[in-house]
Amino acid sequence: MSEGTMQRRAERDQGVQQAKRLHRVLVGVAAVPVMLIASGCSSDSGSDSGSGSSAAGKGADGGASASASVSAAPTVQAAAYDSLPESCGVLSAKTLKSLVPEAPKSGKKGTSEAGTRGSCSWSSLDNNGVKGSQFRWLNVSLLRFESDTSRGTGEAQAQKYYEQQIQDAQSVAGAKNTKSQAVSGKGDAATLVRYDLKKKEGAFKQQTVVTRVENVVVTVDYNGAGLAGEKAPGADALAKLAEKASNEVVASVSAANGEGAVSPAPSTSPSKSAPTSPSAAPSKSASKSASPSKSVAKTS
């Protein structure tokens, strides 16, 4: 092999070696962007996943916060009764005959509002000429309360009014021998208040029976007097008649709301040891009713 040939081979081998080195360099350079791209994709994917997760978390937290901030609307138990009977029709003709025997067949209707409140009164004068006369007066009032979120249940409002009616009956100006006692067997609560009241016409014996049945308060006022020399009626007899009338009115209220008639309970004579109220103020129970709540979500 000539020297020239050997030199060319050496140069060729050197060129081949250089070409191989260049190829390896190019391959390495080409691999770098691929790695960078792969790394970038991986980084982006993780970032997106994290953002999505974070957004989902925020969404969940936001929903929970929104849910927590919305408080439940206030509710109150619906009143049991949503109706009242006609006030002048709550007593039978037989009962009216025993309490106000000389009264007209139809009573005198007072302030009323259908289904909410009503009142009716009867007066009787049995004139016995020179022997004098017997006077009787009967008044029935009914008041129904509706449940209201701001005032409470109809039953609670009725209970408060029931207690107020008793206080009013116990604090009549000029009343003497005032006595009170609970009466059993009528509605949810019942109280009899009795007293004597001297007027220019004569000595009156007053009986007031206040009864609460569910969300309704029934007040029966009954009094009698012997006029122009006639003997005054017995207070115990008047009390029994007032209780009988009250029991019948309660039965009418229950019937007006789809319930069976309430069986009359035995009358109880007023206790002589019942407390006497020292206060004196005009009675409101006979002629005036408090105005009931109007705003409610009722079921009855």
Side-chain angles (χ1 to χ4, degrees), residues 25-226:
V25 170
L26 290 175
V27 171
V29 170
V32 171
V34 174
M35 294 175 63
L36 291 175
I37 292 172
S39 176
C41 291
S42 175
S43 176
D44 289 345
S45 175
S47 176
D48 290 345
S49 175
S51 298
S53 175
S54 176
K58 290 180 179 179
D61 291 342
S65 300
S67 176
S69 65
V70 178
S71 58
T75 59
V76 64
Q77 182 180 356
Y81 289 165
D82 64 355
S83 181
L84 288 178
E86 174 60 40
S87 58
C88 289
V90 292
L91 295 172
S92 67
K94 181 179 179 180
T95 298
L96 287 172
K97 187 68 176 177
S98 63
L99 272 78
V100 283
E102 300 301 321
K105 291 183 179 180
S106 59
K108 183 180 179 180
K109 191 173 184 178
T111 302
S112 63
E113 186 175 346
T116 300
R117 61 178 175 176
S119 66
C120 193
S121 63
W122 299 260
S123 61
S124 171
L125 182 63
D126 184 9
N127 193 338
N128 296 312
V130 295
K131 294 182 179 180
S133 58
Q134 286 289 333
F135 174 78
R136 300 289 186 273
W137 179 77
L138 172 66
N139 185 84
V140 174
S141 65
L142 307 96
L143 189 62
R144 184 181 66 83
F145 292 85
E146 296 179 351
S147 296
D148 183 84
T149 54
S150 61
R151 294 181 177 87
T153 65
E155 285 76 5
Q157 294 178 68
Q159 178 65 25
K160 184 176 180 180
Y161 181 68
Y162 162 80
E163 294 168 358
Q164 183 61 54
Q165 287 288 86
I166 294 172
Q167 292 178 14
D168 289 344
Q170 291 172 335
S171 57
V172 175
K176 303 293 183 181
N177 304 318
T178 303
K179 297 179 177 66
S180 304
Q181 83 169 55
V183 180
S184 61
K186 298 178 178 68
D188 297 296
T191 299
L192 167 68
V193 180
R194 59 186 288 184
Y195 55 83
D196 300 333
L197 190 62
K198 183 72 174 179
K199 295 184 179 181
K200 63 179 182 179
E201 296 88 351
F204 288 77
K205 302 290 185 180
Q206 173 71 34
Q207 318 296 320
T208 298
V209 182
V210 185
T211 306
R212 180 183 72 81
V213 52
E214 299 291 356
N215 55 308
V216 175
V217 176
V218 172
T219 304
V220 172
D221 286 292
Y222 182 54
N223 64 45

Side-chain angles (χ1 to χ4, degrees), residues 243-274:
E243 290 181 43
K244 177 183 178 181
S246 177
N247 203 51
E248 195 167 310
V249 176
V250 170
S252 296
V253 172
S254 298
N257 288 275
E259 296 185 1
V262 178
S263 299
S267 299
T268 305
S269 299
S271 172
K272 294 183 179 180
S273 61

